[in-house]
Amino acid sequence: PLVHDFEVLGLTSDSRKVQPGFVFFALKGHQSNGHDYLAQVSSVASALVVEDSSQIPASFRGPVFVVSDSRQVLNDWAS
């Protein structure tokens, strides 16, 4: 099995705020879809939480958590 060791320094769903060590949550909204920004954030984020893994760049080497509801997972982790 593939094991990843990474430090989580922050959580965000805003692609403009992703920094090294952050977990990016791709949220689906009424006006935007975080999955559309995976190529942009994958060079910085340490891990990704997505509902659809089809848009993750092949070059991303961090852990990817595929979940049924990324908004709920963000809420759970934040609390």
Side-chain angles (χ1 to χ4, degrees):
L2 184 60
V3 177
H4 292 279
D5 185 19
F6 66 101
E7 182 177 19
V8 176
L9 300 177
L11 310 174
T12 189
S13 61
D14 187 335
S15 62
R16 299 165 296 183
K17 295 184 178 180
V18 174
Q19 298 178 30
F22 276 43
V23 177
F24 178 72
F25 288 79
L27 304 182
K28 292 181 180 180
H30 295 290
Q31 301 208 349
S32 68
N33 183 339
H35 294 80
D36 295 339
Y37 300 96
L38 292 176
Q40 173 187 335
V41 303
S42 66
S43 64
V44 182
S46 292
L48 304 173
V49 178
V50 302
E51 294 175 20
D52 175 9
S53 62
S54 67
Q55 295 182 44
I56 298 170
S59 60
F60 185 69
R61 296 292 176 233
V64 175
F65 302 93
V66 181
V67 299
S68 61
D69 186 341
S70 54
R71 186 175 308 278
Q72 183 61 50
V73 174
L74 175 59
N75 289 336
D76 292 348
W77 278 22
S79 64

